[in-house]
C-alpha cells in the first residue's frame, strides 16, 4: 500500500514530534517498571503452565489428554508473551534478568530460541512492514506484495493465488516452523560464521535439547505412543494458530513503506501498525499486542501501562494529523485477509 496520500505536518517540526510525545508519556510515569504487576503475572502464568503439565501427568493414558492439549496451547502462548516482554526489557532495566526470563520462557518452556527471536523481532521493530528490512514480511509460505507474488513458481504460486483462504490453516504449522527456525538459527552458518548473532548459543542449544527431551519423555511416560503423537500435534498446531492470530492483526494489511518513503520514527511506527480495541480480556488474550501502536512507539513500556498510554498517543496523533488505525478483532482479520487476497490478484488475472 502506498504512503503518498498520507497527510503530514510541516517538515520543520517532524524531527521533534516523537520527542514531544515521549515527554508526555514520561511525565505520565508510563515508562516506569511495574515489578509488582509482573511478579503477579509471572506467578499466575507459570503456575497455570506447570499445573497443566501436572494434569497431563496425572491424567495418564486417556483420550481426555487431547482437550488438555488445547488448554496447554493457550498456556504455552501466554508463557511466550512473557518471553516477548522480557525481550523488550519491559520487566527489568538490566539485560541479565531480562535474558534469564527470556531464556526460561522461550527455550525451556516453549522450545524456541530466545536469541533468534530477539534478533528477528528487533529488525521488525526497526522497520515494520518494510519489504526489504522487516523479516516478518519477507516472501515465504505467504507473500505480502504483488511483486513477491509474481516471483512465485509452481506450488508456491498456486498457494499465493489462494493464500487468503489458506491463511488460518497454514497457521497450524506455525509452531513447527518456529521450532525449525530456532534450530537453524543456532546451527546455521554463512561464509564461515554463524548466520544469526546470539549471546548464549551453547546455553540455548542445551536448553532446546532439554526441552525436547523432557517433552517427549513426559508424553511417552504417561500415554501410549499414538496418544502422545496426537497430543503433540494438537498442542503444537493450536499453539501456532494462537500465536499467529495474536500477531496477525498488528501489521498485515497496513501500509508497506519502501526506501522511497521518507518517514520519521513516529510516522514509521504509527502508520504501519493497527490497534485492536476491546476489554481487558482482549488485553490478556492478545498479550497486550492489541496496543500495537503504543508498543511500537515505546517497546520497553510495561504491558500493563499500554492501555493508559493509548489515549495520550491517540490524541497526539490527532494533533499531528497522523492516521491512527484501530478496529475490532474480527475486522482486523478481515482487513489482513483482504490484503492477502488482493496481493494474489495478479496471479488470478
Amino acid at each position: 500500500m502506498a504512503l503518498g496520500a498520507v497527510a503530514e505536518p510541516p517538515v520543520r517540526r517532524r524531527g521533534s514530534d516523537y520527542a514531544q510525545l515521549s515527554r508526555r508519556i514520561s511525565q505520565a510515569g508510563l515508562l516506569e517498571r511495574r515489578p509488582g504487576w509482573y511478579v503477579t503475572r509471572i506467578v499466575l502464568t507459570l503456575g497455570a503452565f506447570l499445573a497443566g503439565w501436572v494434569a497431563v501427568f496425572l491424567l495418564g493414558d486417556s483420550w481426555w489428554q487431547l482437550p488438555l492439549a488445547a488448554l496447554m496451547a493457550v498456556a504455552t502462548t501466554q508463557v511466550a508473551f512473557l518471553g516477548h516482554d522480557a525481550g523488550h526489557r519491559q520487566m527489568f532495566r538490566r539485560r541479565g534478568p531480562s535474558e534469564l526470563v527470556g531464556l526460561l520462557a522461550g527455550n525451556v518452556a516453549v522450545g524456541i530460541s530466545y536469541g533468534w527471536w530477539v534478533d528477528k523481532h528487533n529488525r521488525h521493530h526497526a522497520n515494520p512492514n518494510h519489504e526489504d528490512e522487516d523479516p516478518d514480511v519477507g516472501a515465504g509460505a505467504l507473500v505480502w506484495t504483488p511483486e513477491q507474488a509474481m516471483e512465485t513458481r509452481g506450488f508456491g504460486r498456486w498457494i499465493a493465488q489462494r493464500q487468503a483462504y489458506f491463511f488460518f490453516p497454514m497457521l497450524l504449522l506455525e509452531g513447527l516452523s518456529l521450532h525449525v527456525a530456532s534450530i537453524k538459527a543456532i546451527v546455521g552458518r554463512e561464509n564461515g560464521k554463524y548466520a544469526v548473532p546470539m549471546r548464549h548459543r551453547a546455553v540455548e542449544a542445551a536448553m532446546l535439547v532439554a526441552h525436547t527431551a523432557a517433552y517427549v519423555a513426559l508424553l511417552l511416560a504417561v500415554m501410549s505412543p499414538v496418544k502422545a503423537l496426537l497430543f503433540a500435534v494438537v498442542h503444537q498446531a493450536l499453539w501456532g494458530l494462537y500465536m499467529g492470530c495474536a500477531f496477525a492483526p498488528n501489521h498485515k494489511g497496513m501500509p508497506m513503506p519502501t526506501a522511497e518513503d521518507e518517514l520519521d520514527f513516529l510516522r514509521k511506527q504509527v502508520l504501519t501498525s493497527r490497534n485492536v480495541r476491546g476489554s481487558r480480556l482482549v488485553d490478556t488474550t492478545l498479550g497486550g499486542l492489541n496496543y500495537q501502536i503504543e508498543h511500537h512507539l515505546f517497546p520497553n513500556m510495561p504491558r500493563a501501562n499500554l492501555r493508559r498510554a493509548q489515549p495520550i498517543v491517540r490524541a497526539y496523533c490527532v494533533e499531528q494529523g497522523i492516521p491512527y488505525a484501530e478496529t475490532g478483532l474480527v475486522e482486523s482479520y478481515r482487513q489482513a485477509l483482504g490484503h492477502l487476497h488482493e496481493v494474489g490478484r495478479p496471479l488470478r488475472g
Side-chain angles (χ1 to χ4, degrees), residues 164-318:
Y165 301 102
F166 287 119
F167 178 70
F168 287 111
M170 289 175 70
L171 287 182
L172 295 171
L173 298 174
E174 179 65 13
L176 177 61
S177 175
L178 292 173
H179 291 309
V180 171
S182 296
I183 295 172
K184 287 182 176 180
I186 289 179
V187 303
R189 300 176 71 91
E190 290 181 0
N191 301 321
K193 61 181 180 180
Y194 288 110
V196 178
M198 202 173 295
R199 283 171 52 82
H200 308 289
R201 191 175 305 275
V203 172
E204 292 211 30
M207 286 180 166
L208 288 182
V209 170
H211 165 87
T212 304
Y215 186 87
V216 173
L218 174 61
L219 296 187
L220 291 177
V222 301
M223 62 188 88
S224 69
V226 171
K227 291 189 180 73
L229 177 61
L230 291 175
F231 180 98
V233 168
V234 172
H235 177 215
Q236 297 299 322
L238 294 184
W239 168 59
L241 177 65
Y242 187 177
M243 288 281 286
C245 287
F247 283 89
N250 303 339
H251 303 281
K252 307 316 180 209
M254 295 302 291
M256 298 185 65
T258 67
E260 298 177 356
D261 296 299
E262 298 181 2
L263 298 175
D264 65 335
F265 179 80
L266 176 66
R267 286 160 182 79
K268 179 192 299 184
Q269 303 299 336
V270 174
L271 295 176
T272 59
S273 303
R274 177 195 296 112
N275 276 16
V276 175
R277 69 173 66 96
S279 64
R280 292 189 182 276
L281 177 61
V282 175
D283 295 359
T284 301
T285 302
L286 297 183
L289 298 176
N290 48 314
Y291 301 107
Q292 192 66 193
I293 294 174
E294 290 71 27
H295 171 57
H296 261 256
L297 289 171
F298 304 98
N300 62 348
M301 178 183 290
R303 190 197 312 178
N305 290 347
L306 293 171
R307 174 177 279 267
R308 295 169 54 200
Q310 184 187 32
I312 299 175
V313 173
R314 183 165 49 195
Y316 188 75
C317 287
V318 171

Side-chain angles (χ1 to χ4, degrees), residues 45-46 49 74-84 101 104-106 109-110:
T45 303
L46 292 183
F49 181 76
V74 175
T76 301
T77 306
Q78 289 294 322
V79 172
F81 288 152
L82 291 178
H84 170 270
V101 172
L104 292 176
V110 178

